[in-house]
């Protein structure tokens, strides 16, 4: 084994193995997929360096894709801040994409799943669904609406799309396996009703896709070859693959999800939810307050770019090796 091969991290080993097994280098494509519901923090910076670094190593395009499926929390301000942070770190994306670009295609695929008997409209409350989903040690129970006819499901789903129903009245669920040991496979929700204006589509849609349904299908539409996530998404990989199986065409690149450990700093808050609370409660002045561990906050604090990026790259290398 050469010294160059020995120095590869495990993600690069995965890519190299795929290339050795006949995968075309021209088909390599990566992506950085932030949700525009806050500013990026230092943990996101290591993910940026990993994904864009792979693009530089292999001469492959890297998409910047905003996973904008929740209009309740997402704003254009966050989109603009994320783009500025990626550019400040010295990276250029190949194409700027949005999950909302694919709302119609995702909807059409969902209709196809209903017609194939693989998805159904559930009219239980969220509390009822949580109760019938079971526990990690006990299987779930089938929804009383699981065997609705295809015709009824199509009518209800179209009504959800038109905005005929209140929020929470109906959801669309994939019909998989309520006894699966992986609770994410127990008929996961694909769509919910939200009467909220979207930062890009405004009020064109009254239903919005869930992340698990959107994630893999967006990768597939963009022909992303390697979809890299942090370890909390490891249980989601089975669902990612199940959804891909429903739309996959053998003539196209099939995305591969792989996970790496997220970066945490001792004595530092790197939870976006907690950082948002600091902003909303006025503990700090803004997301880019110099006291915040956000990329924009570090920039305002006066952290020099070059040493910062070098440390990040070393951190990423150590992270994926260990």
């Amino acid at each position: 084994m050469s010294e160059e091969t020995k120095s590869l991290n495990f993600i690069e080993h995965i890519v190299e193995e795929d290339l050795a097994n006949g995968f075309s280098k021209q088909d390599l494509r990566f992506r950085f997929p932030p949700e525009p519901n806050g500013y990026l923090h230092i943990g996101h910076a290591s993910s940026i360096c990993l994904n864009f670094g792979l693009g530089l190593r292999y001469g492959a395009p890297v998409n910047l894709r905003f996973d904008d499926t929740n209009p309740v929390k997402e704003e254009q301000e966050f989109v603009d801040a994320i783009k500025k942070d990626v550019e400040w770190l010295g990276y250029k994306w190949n194409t700027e994409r949005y999950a909302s670009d694919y709302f119609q295609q995702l909807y059409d695929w969902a209709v196809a799943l209903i017609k194939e008997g693989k998805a159904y409209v559930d009219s239980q409350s969220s509390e009822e669904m949580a109760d019938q989903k079971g526990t990690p040690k006990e299987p779930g129970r089938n929804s009383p609406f699981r065997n609705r006819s295809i015709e009824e499901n199509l009518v209800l789903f179209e009504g959800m799309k038109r905005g005929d129903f209140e929020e929470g009245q109906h959801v669309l669920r994939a019909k998989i396996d309520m006894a699966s040991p992986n609770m994410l496979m127990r008929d996961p929700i694909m769509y919910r009703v939200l009467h909220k204006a979207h930062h890009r589509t405004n009020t064109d849609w009254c239903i919005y896709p869930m992340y698990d349904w959107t994630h893999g299908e967006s990768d597939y539409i963009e022909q992303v070859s390697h979809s890299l996530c942090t370890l909390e998404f490891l249980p989601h990989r089975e669902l990612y693959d199940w959804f891909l199986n429903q739309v996959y065409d053998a003539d196209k690149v099939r995305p591969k999800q792989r996970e790496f450990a997220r970066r945490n700093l001792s004595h530092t808050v790197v939870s976006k939810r907690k950082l948002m609370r600091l902003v909303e409660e006025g503990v700090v002045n803004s997301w880019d307050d110099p006291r915040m561990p956000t990329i924009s906050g570090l920039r305002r604090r006066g952290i020099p770019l070059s040493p910062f990026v070098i440390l990040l790259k070393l951190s990423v290398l150590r992270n994926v090796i260990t």
Side-chain angles (χ1 to χ4, degrees), residues 34 135 151 155 196 230 232 265 267 276 302-303:
T135 70
E151 293 73 20
V155 169
K196 302 289 190 301
T230 46
E232 65 262 33
L265 295 179
H267 310 293
M276 181 179 294
I303 301 294

Side-chain angles (χ1 to χ4, degrees), residues 130-198:
D131 179 65
Q132 57 94 207
K133 203 162 189 179
T135 70
K137 295 183 178 180
E138 299 176 349
R141 304 183 307 277
N142 287 347
S143 164
F145 303 99
R146 198 173 195 264
N147 293 320
R148 265 179 166 150
S149 69
I150 290 174
E151 293 73 20
E152 185 179 3
N153 282 317
L154 289 172
V155 169
L156 287 170
F157 192 45
E158 176 63 26
M160 290 169 61
K161 179 177 179 289
R162 281 197 310 266
D164 294 347
F165 305 114
E166 297 178 0
E167 294 182 9
Q169 190 172 351
H170 301 294
V171 296
L172 183 73
R173 298 177 70 177
K175 187 185 290 187
I176 306 180
D177 181 6
M178 290 302 295
S180 172
N182 183 348
M183 291 188 67
L184 293 172
M185 300 296 287
R186 297 181 186 179
D187 292 9
I189 296 175
M190 296 174 63
Y191 278 92
R192 74 284 206 202
V193 175
L194 287 175
H195 295 291
K196 302 289 190 301
H198 187 276

Side-chain angles (χ1 to χ4, degrees), residues 239-255:
L239 182 55
Y240 180 98
D241 287 334
W242 189 91
F243 279 139
L244 275 182
N245 288 341
Q246 312 313 310
V247 302
Y248 177 61
D249 182 334
D251 293 331
K252 294 187 176 182
V253 172
R254 181 188 174 96

Side-chain angles (χ1 to χ4, degrees), residues 239-288:
L239 182 55
Y240 180 98
D241 287 334
W242 189 91
F243 279 139
L244 275 182
N245 288 341
Q246 312 313 310
V247 302
Y248 177 61
D249 182 334
D251 293 331
K252 294 187 176 182
V253 172
R254 181 188 174 96
K256 173 185 290 187
Q257 177 180 307
R258 291 298 181 265
E259 305 79 20
F260 62 94
R262 63 185 298 172
R263 300 306 292 165
N264 287 316
L265 295 179
S266 59
H267 310 293
T268 303
V269 176
V270 288
S271 162
K272 192 187 293 185
R273 177 177 54 83
K274 293 178 180 178
L275 293 177
M276 181 179 294
R277 183 176 173 185
L278 292 176
V279 176
E280 291 178 343
E281 295 183 0
V283 177
V284 295
N285 294 327
S286 59
W287 282 93
D288 63 350

